[in-house]
């Protein structure tokens, strides 16, 4: 199959599949084993020397996980991918495969708050600095923020919650003129809507817990190396990849692995030692999700656009942040990069501020109130008091996170039912006393208690989980 050109749906079902020689199972097995037997002394030696490609220990590789890695790399048009335990782990491995103390990153400002915290707080403590581009469409600002020690650009294809689509080629070209790779988080778009590598990105990361898995049942993250960046062009900048390595018999990673140098280093040196290993069972759930990815994302996107168009007509709504709308300042980028749809995570703002948002969110029934995205179920959240609660009011205002802003992750339900549910929310907001909330839906004290958040009262969640 590797020599043939197939459509996306075919690749998501068959891509990277290796037949089960032992039993002929069509669905690859879940290899719930920490370690793997060696046939003899010599095989153990060769596997540790890297001259035998077999498995040794699941932290370093597992057949179930490898099946998912091959499939995601194929779908994203990369040379190889690394499956890890979460999207946060994927971002961490992607950065640490490039960066060291004294380095600098230029990042879009409109990114997931957890990744922002990773860059500012965690990597900052390691001596890595970051500057944020206020307007990601301003390519001159990207260029102005470059320093001699800049080592990477970072952005998201579809940022959350504003749906402000990235000019992938423009930012990639700016990064390459600065001699650095572009890392792109493609979680909310998925390779079905856009393949960033085809537009110039060098490294792609995913929170596989979202659309790739699709059912809110397991965690995972993926790092994909496009194999496009020339690490040998400035060998002194990437000495960890271009200097002789004793473990490689005196060769460098570039000499031994060529276009795969970065991903091999990220797997063997970074991921294997930090250890964000996913459970093979979670890898199995992820593979099951990927097999229906195009079907789900197509429905997600169609539903989201229909909901956005409905919201855009409501007098209580001051703005709808969906790039599929002609009124969006990112509509041109959506048409260019996302012809199949602008995704299904976006926000709208109620004129009544937090009070209206509270009433609205407490009234809807089909939309689940939870901190997650990319689920088959539609989800709803209030960023100002949850995901962005750690930012100052001025910072939130600067990013357009108004007190009345509500984020939606539109699922695959019948869109007419979703619209009716939203109409229920608007009716409550418009009522004289706005007193339609939990009490109107819950029949008993036991039901109400079942909705109580399980996190202890003194536990502060710094960003979305």
């Amino acid at each position: 199959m590797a020599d043939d050109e197939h459509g996306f749906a075919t690749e998501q079902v068959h891509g990277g599949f290796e037949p089960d020689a032992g039993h002929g199972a069509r669905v690859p097995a879940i290899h719930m084993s920490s370690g793997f037997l060696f046939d003899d002394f010599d095989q153990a030696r060769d596997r540790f020397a890297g001259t035998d490609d077999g498995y040794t220990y699941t932290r370093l590789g597992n057949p179930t996980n490898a099946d998912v890695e091959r499939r995601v790399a194929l779908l994203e048009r990369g040379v190889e991918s690394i499956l890890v335990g979460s999207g946060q782990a994927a971002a961490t491995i992607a950065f640490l495969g490039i960066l060291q103390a004294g380095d600098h990153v230029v990042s879009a400002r409109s990114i997931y708050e957890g990744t922002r915290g990773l860059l500012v707080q965690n990597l900052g403590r390691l001596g890595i600095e970051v500057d944020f581009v206020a307007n990601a469409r301003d390519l001159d600002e990207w260029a102005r923020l470059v320093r001699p020690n800049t080592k990477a650009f970072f952005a998201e294809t579809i940022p959350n919650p504003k749906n402000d689509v990235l000019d992938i080629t423009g930012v990639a070209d700016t990064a390459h003129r600065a001699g650095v790779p572009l890392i792109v988080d493609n979680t909310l778009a998925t390779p079905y809507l856009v393949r960033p590598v085809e537009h110039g990105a060098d490294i792609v990361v995913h929170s596989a817990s979202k659309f790739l898995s699709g059912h809110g049942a397991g965690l995972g993250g993926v790092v994909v190396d496009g194999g496009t960046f020339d690490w040998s062009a400035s060998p002194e900048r990437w000495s960890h990849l271009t200097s002789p390595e004793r473990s490689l018999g005196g060769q460098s990673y570039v000499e031994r692995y060529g276009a795969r140098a970065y991903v091999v280093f990220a797997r063997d040196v970074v991921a294997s030692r930090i250890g964000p290993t996913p459970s093979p069972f979670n890898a199995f759930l992820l593979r099951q999700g990927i097999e229906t990815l195009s079907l789900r994302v197509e429905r997600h996107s169609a539903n989201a656009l229909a909901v956005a168009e409905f919201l855009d007509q409501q007098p209580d709504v001051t703005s709808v942040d969906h790039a599929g709308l002609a009124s969006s300042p990112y509509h041109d980028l959506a048409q260019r990069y996302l012809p199949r749809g602008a995704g299904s995570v976006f926000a709208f703002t109620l004129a009544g501020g937090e009070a209206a948002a509270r009433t609205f969110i407490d009234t809807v029934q089909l939309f689940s109130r939870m901190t997650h995205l990319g689920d088959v179920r539609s989800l709803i959240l209030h960023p100002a008091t949850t995901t962005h609660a750690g930012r100052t009011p001025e910072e939130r205002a600067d990013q357009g996170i108004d007190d009345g802003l509500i984020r939606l992750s539109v699922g695959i339900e019948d869109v007419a039912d979703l619209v009716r549910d939203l109409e229920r929310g608007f009716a409550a907001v418009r009522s004289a006393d706005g007193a339609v909330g939990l009490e109107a839906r819950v029949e008993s004290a036991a039901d109400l208690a079942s909705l109580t958040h399980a996190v202890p009262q003194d536990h502060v969640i710094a960003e979305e989980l």
Side-chain angles (χ1 to χ4, degrees):
M1 178 174 170
D3 296 328
D4 300 328
E5 288 291 332
H6 293 91
F8 189 94
T10 302
E11 289 182 339
Q12 74 186 6
V13 173
H14 296 278
F17 173 72
E18 292 184 356
D20 174 12
H23 305 285
R26 185 59 185 84
V27 177
I30 304 174
H31 294 271
M32 294 296 291
S33 180
S34 300
F36 301 87
L37 291 170
F38 306 120
D39 290 341
D40 51 36
F41 181 96
D42 289 341
Q43 187 181 67
R45 177 201 61 204
D46 293 344
R47 288 190 181 174
F48 272 77
T51 56
D52 184 304
D53 290 335
Y55 298 97
T56 59
Y57 192 62
T58 284
R59 177 164 55 82
L60 308 176
N62 178 286
T64 309
N65 300 359
D67 178 80
V68 174
E69 291 173 339
R70 290 190 299 270
R71 193 160 303 182
V72 174
L74 174 66
L75 293 177
E76 282 287 10
R77 294 300 185 258
V79 295
E80 189 173 327
S81 72
I82 307 170
L83 182 65
V84 292
S86 68
Q88 278 292 85
T92 302
I93 299 305
F95 287 129
L96 293 181
I98 296 174
L99 305 172
Q100 62 183 10
D103 287 346
H104 173 250
V105 178
V106 181
S107 171
R109 182 179 64 178
S110 184
I111 60 173
Y112 168 53
E113 283 291 286
T115 308
R116 181 185 181 277
L118 171 66
L119 287 166
V120 172
Q121 192 170 23
N122 300 92
L123 297 186
R125 291 184 62 225
L126 300 180
I128 297 167
E129 298 179 300
V130 60
D131 279 312
F132 294 99
V133 177
N135 177 11
R137 294 201 67 157
D138 186 351
L139 300 181
D140 290 336
E141 186 178 358
W142 285 92
R144 282 194 301 269
L145 292 176
V146 172
R147 307 178 190 173
N149 61 334
T150 300
K151 294 293 183 65
F153 278 19
F154 175 76
E156 298 178 2
T157 48
I158 302 178
N160 151 40
K162 301 289 284 183
N163 204 257
D164 37 339
V165 178
L166 179 70
D167 180 359
I168 306 170
T169 300
V171 176
D173 288 347
T174 307
H176 296 157
R177 283 194 294 271
V180 303
L182 170 62
I183 305 171
V184 169
D185 185 329
N186 199 34
T187 296
L188 298 191
T190 80
Y192 178 68
L193 295 183
V194 64
R195 289 163 163 156
V197 171
E198 293 182 339
H199 299 284
D202 302 289
I203 299 162
V204 177
V205 298
H206 282 274
S207 172
S209 320
K210 310 301 191 296
F211 290 98
L212 293 183
S213 178
H215 299 85
L219 297 180
V222 188
V223 181
V224 184
D225 183 1
T228 54
F229 192 79
D230 184 3
W231 305 100
S232 64
S234 300
E236 69 286 351
R237 301 189 77 180
W238 321 106
S239 59
H240 63 298
L241 300 178
T242 60
S243 297
E245 276 288 332
R246 184 177 64 179
S247 63
L248 301 180
Q251 287 184 303
S252 69
Y253 280 89
V254 168
E255 289 171 331
R256 171 71 71 87
Y257 299 107
R260 297 172 54 242
Y262 164 80
V263 72
V264 174
F265 179 87
R267 181 193 298 278
D268 292 354
V269 178
V270 183
S272 69
R273 291 176 182 161
I274 294 177
T277 310
S279 162
F281 184 73
N282 275 5
F284 169 79
L285 294 177
L286 174 55
R287 182 180 61 229
Q288 294 293 96
I290 290 173
E291 291 180 353
T292 60
L293 178 64
S294 64
L295 305 178
R296 288 184 288 101
V297 173
E298 183 177 38
R299 179 64 172 264
H300 279 293
S301 299
N303 277 1
L305 181 58
V307 167
E309 290 172 340
F310 163 76
L311 293 170
D312 202 36
Q313 300 301 313
Q314 304 309 305
D316 312 87
V317 173
T318 61
S319 65
V320 180
D321 301 307
H322 190 289
L325 299 176
S327 57
S328 168
Y330 300 93
H331 186 63
D332 61 319
L333 292 178
Q335 290 182 308
R336 178 180 176 185
Y337 293 109
L338 303 165
R340 287 173 164 168
S344 59
V345 177
F346 68 100
F348 68 98
T349 302
L350 291 173
E354 182 177 330
R358 177 194 295 272
T359 299
F360 192 98
I361 290 171
D362 281 351
T363 301
V364 294
Q365 297 178 9
L366 278 180
F367 281 82
S368 299
R369 291 167 293 280
M370 59 185 290
T371 174
H372 189 50
L373 299 167
D375 200 305
V376 291
R377 291 157 281 270
S378 291
L379 315 176
I380 191 168
L381 203 67
H382 183 244
T385 56
T386 58
T387 60
H388 292 69
R391 309 299 293 274
T392 67
E394 293 76 20
E395 287 173 331
R396 289 197 296 270
D398 193 40
Q399 288 190 259
I401 309 296
D402 189 271
D403 288 344
L405 183 137
I406 293 174
R407 186 189 74 186
L408 301 179
S409 176
V410 178
I412 64 171
E413 302 96 336
D414 287 315
V415 71
D417 293 329
L418 295 177
V419 169
R420 277 195 294 272
D421 198 37
L422 296 172
E423 287 175 334
R424 183 181 293 110
F426 283 117
V429 170
R430 293 163 187 161
S431 66
D433 56 9
V436 180
L438 285 174
E439 295 77 6
R441 302 194 319 275
V442 180
E443 297 179 355
S444 67
D447 288 334
L448 183 60
S450 71
L451 299 175
T452 301
H453 200 297
V455 175
Q457 293 297 314
D458 60 352
H459 184 86
V460 177
I461 301 176
E463 65 267 329
E464 182 176 10
L465 302 178

